Amino acid sequence: MPVKRYSTSELTLRFWAAIALLFTFSAIFVAYVYAEKRIDAANDQRVYSLKIIGELRQSSDDLTRMVRSYIATGEHRYKNHFNEIIAIRNGQSARPVNYHQVYWDLVSEENQRPRPAGSRVALLDLMKATGFTDAEMSALQEAKIQSDLLAVTEQKAMQLLERPEIDPAQKENNKQQALLSVFDLNYHNAKIAIMQPIATVYSLVDERTADEVEDAMFYALVMRILFILSGLLLFYSLWDIKRVHNSILGASVSHLYDQIKAMGRGEVLQGADLRKAKPGSIMSWLGATQLRLNSSIQERQTLIQTLQQKEQYQRTLIDSIPFVVWLKDIHGRYLEVNQKFAEQFQHRNTSQLVGKTDADLFDAQRALSHVVHDKQVLTSGQPQVIRSQHKTETEQSWYETYKAPVLVDEEYVGTVGLSRDITLEHTADNKLRLSASVFTHAREGIMITDPLGVMIDVNQAFTEITGYSAKQAIGCTPRLLQSEHLDELTFSSMWQSLQQQGFWSGELWSRKASGEDFFQSLTLSAVLDDKGQLQHYVGLFSDITNQYQQQQHLEKIALYDSMTGLPNRSALTRQLQLLLKKATEEQMLAIAYLDLDGFKEINDRHGHETGDQFLIALSERLQSQLEETELLARIGGDEFVVLLPALSDKKAGLAKIQQLLDVVAKPLKIDEWMLSVSASIGLTFYPQTDATEAEQLVRQADHAMYQAKQDGKNRCHVFDTDYARSLRGHQETIVEIRQGLALKQFRLFYQPKVNMHTGEVIGAEALIRWMHPQKGMVAPALFLPAIEQHSLGVELGYWVIEEALRQLAEWQRQGMTIPVSVNISAYHLQQLDFVNRLQLLLHFYSDVPASLLQLEILETSALNDLTHVQAVMQACIRSGVSFALDDFGTGYSSLTYLKRLPATVLKIDQSFVRDMLVDPDDLAILKGIIVLANEFKREIVAEGVETTEHGEMLLQLGCTLAQGYGIARPMPAEQFMPWKKAWLPPDVWATASVGSGIQPSGANKTLTTHSQHRAV
């Protein structure tokens, strides 16, 4: 039976038929996917409709719970929730995200919301947009009407409870009537009138959406069957194409490939294979090609002999050249090398190196360098001269290499190179460059050592600081400066860290040539070459003995309260940390947080001087009741902490606290007055089940003290550690913040400060943002409170300062010099090493003037320890840093504090600025703050400028500097310069009359504004 022969056109026809089947298959697949999505859409519509219905039912139930809770407890937060539920349902307030789930039970007593607010939309509008039928919508509207009517009844019940009654019996009667009105039969029937229409809608929606889902599922089944059938047809078509394809080839693809490779090697095809080949197939064509190839073999052999003779001449020529010579193809394989090249490799001759690549012969870094230079030569088409370093186990050498492209028939086919040893010339040149980099005029002492730590050069400042001349120092190690204050272990640890990490920075004692000790700030760095090999160590140091002695003095005065002489918070923390290490189950430690009840009345009635004398006398009385091992500390105002170590049990601690309560309650005679107060004491014990730090124990006692005040004052409350363990989420947040800081997830945004009248950008405030990988950008209010009194808050604060300084340096390089302010927390400011660490950061960024950095502190944070805060601020100001008092007006705003704190800028809190157009009290406060700041010669910056009208009003009041959303929102650093170039103030600001709204002292005039500005 003859075998049918197929043409390529038949194969093409079958191919296009398969393409058509593939398109059909794809179209059916798309239709099938659409059918599946119809099912999902129908189910989504069903779920969403039931959710909207459920929200109406849930809101009615929430209103009932709120009114009953309000009547039963009298807590106004339930009434507020009641009014807010109605406002959300009617579209008057923003709807929280995922509002259909349980919400109001998650709102804390401090009104903290667990979810962000969404848009404002009425519930009936949501129902209309959902696609309910007329019958369903009618029933829903009926349920809504009945719920609104019931809400009126509930509001009347709350109003009955709120009636002002003098008679307690009548007030109790009103409460009972209010309770009865929300529990009687009429109320029950009204709830039934709401729920019956809702039940009807549930049934109608369930039936309608179930039909839609069933229709979609039937359509999907049809598409699924068509999808399977079209797939089978496509499979058959592909099988048929393969059958015709094999017939045209005359053999399998693998067999045909093997025959082609054999022919490429010069092998003759077997006669049996040729006889099997079908006439006209590709396999039969190979046989004819074989015959033509045999005739060219003789010509090839003759050519090889000629090339071998030329190669012998070439070898003799390049071996006679005294430099390293090579020839490489375009792929980097060595085609030819001379004997000088082979001498670089032991036990290898030139023939063994031919065919190798740079990766085969050299280390990875050197090979990569060769490849890069080869590509540059081939790309440019121009020769290059390259200098490079070659290192062996015993020595290192420098070479100068000439590389040129090889051009054949106007095509680059490789590179040729020649290399010579220039080690002697390079060494001399390097010595000249080192000598040229003399740093005689540097103010800091600088020393350069070899890898073994032997000094090879020092500058003039080194001699001026240490007293050692360059001749005395060179050849010695830095141990020449080692002081007796520095033990051998510390010195060895410093050099070990330098060798392992390549960097060390710190402060230590050293000794001058005269024998005098001095305290130095030292930075040691390892200098590596291009290949990462150690070349030198460089030390940079300066004499900071005066700063160190000043800091020691600050630390001394910072540990004791200036008025009572008692230890302050810092000393308390140190002592508590020592006691925590000694506490055991048998020898417990108690921490008591004591706050005086009624002390404010003494200050208000008799004056602060009398109040101070009272605190001193009471401190002496309390101290007399304590043992030597027990500690009394004053941590601010009328707040004290007592440490009671070595307690046998909790009863002993409670007995001691009761003794202190009795002592405080006894009257004290100050001048001619008999004064008395009581105390509220919070008590906590250690050890505890969970690991607890010193600051955490103080916070526990503080928390318990507030509970004692709420319980009626003049008592002691013990902290509940079991309840505290339920707050582990706070610790988890701290861990997550610490990880975010390590992974560099934090970023600074910058909000401009401007002169509204001139349009000048006078500075920027740095504001931290957390770029969370899952939560997106997290605002600081959501994570900073968790670390406010934690050491991590201090660590994050130093990061913010350093990042702001880094950005200032970057802006300077780009041609912009602008001050930046950074917020500092109270806890951070009270750290004993704050000034030293700030000065170290300023030293690291010495190119940035310290005057460009401004620190903003909250007005209330400065009140806890005024003496310490004042000393810290003065030390920072001497370094060039300025201060601003943030959120001014929200704290005590004492003239004494304003006078004593050296802050040059007052930032008016945005709460006064935002509402000054509508609130006459805020406008009056704002005017008073501006007058007060002018009298004290303080610069004023207004926060919260959100509209043009806000800025116009501030200009009339005499305040020209401001920031806020009406000027610019906080932005990334890379957007600041483009914004600054494009910024223009509104015309009304530029033409405003500055200070026209402030009348002279004694003038009996009112502030006049435009109608849209007037506070009403």
Side-chain angles (χ1 to χ4, degrees), residues 606-637:
H606 303 288
H608 286 283
E609 183 177 353
T610 301
D612 291 346
Q613 295 178 11
F614 180 84
L615 287 177
I616 294 172
L618 183 60
S619 300
E620 294 173 351
R621 178 184 287 180
L622 288 172
Q623 189 69 48
S624 67
Q625 302 297 316
L626 300 179
E627 304 293 336
E628 291 184 0
T629 58
E630 297 169 345
L631 176 71
L632 173 65
R634 179 176 181 241
I635 61 174

Side-chain angles (χ1 to χ4, degrees), residues 447 455 462 466 468 476-495 508-513 515-518 520 522:
M447 57 183 173
M455 287 186 284
F462 177 96
T466 66
Y468 287 102
C476 299
T477 68
R479 289 182 180 273
L480 179 69
L481 306 176
Q482 185 172 352
S483 168
E484 294 179 356
H485 294 293
L486 184 66
D487 58 85
E488 183 65 27
L489 180 61
T490 302
F491 192 88
S492 300
S493 175
M494 176 183 68
W495 280 102
L508 48 82
W509 283 101
S510 295
R511 173 160 294 185
K512 299 181 180 181
E516 177 188 358
D517 285 342
F518 71 99
Q520 65 168 326
L522 174 63

Side-chain angles (χ1 to χ4, degrees), residues 636-656:
D638 57 350
E639 296 179 339
F640 300 85
V641 171
V642 179
L643 300 183
L644 303 175
L647 296 175
S648 58
D649 53 26
K650 293 184 178 179
K651 290 183 179 179
L654 291 171
K656 187 72 174 184

Side-chain angles (χ1 to χ4, degrees), residues 748 750 766 768 793-809 820-825 828-829 833-835 837-843 845 848 850 852-856 876 881 883:
L748 289 188
Y750 297 86
I768 192 170
V794 176
E795 183 179 353
L796 188 62
Y798 284 126
W799 177 88
V800 171
I801 296 175
E802 182 173 5
E803 178 62 16
L805 289 171
R806 187 199 64 78
Q807 187 58 55
L808 281 170
V820 170
S821 61
V822 173
N823 291 286
I824 297 296
S825 69
H828 189 183
L829 193 66
D833 63 344
F834 177 80
V835 175
R837 293 195 60 175
L838 177 62
Q839 291 174 343
L840 182 61
L841 288 174
L842 293 173
H843 179 73
Y845 294 91
V848 178
L852 294 182
L853 179 65
Q854 184 178 83
L855 303 180
E856 295 185 9
C876 294
V881 178
F883 281 85

Side-chain angles (χ1 to χ4, degrees), residues 917-975:
L917 301 180
V918 296
D919 190 335
D921 292 335
D922 283 349
L923 185 62
I925 293 173
L926 188 64
K927 181 179 177 182
I929 292 175
I930 293 175
V931 173
L932 185 66
N934 290 333
E935 291 296 326
F936 278 87
K937 295 181 175 55
R938 299 292 196 270
E939 190 175 76
I940 315 166
V941 177
E943 296 177 309
V945 175
E946 298 181 352
T947 65
T948 303
E949 289 77 14
H950 283 103
E952 187 177 3
M953 173 66 81
L954 286 168
L955 287 170
Q956 291 185 29
L957 295 176
C959 178
T960 60
L961 309 182
Q963 67 184 87
Y965 285 2
I967 299 169
R969 290 178 175 270
M971 64 190 75
E974 60 270 18
Q975 297 178 10

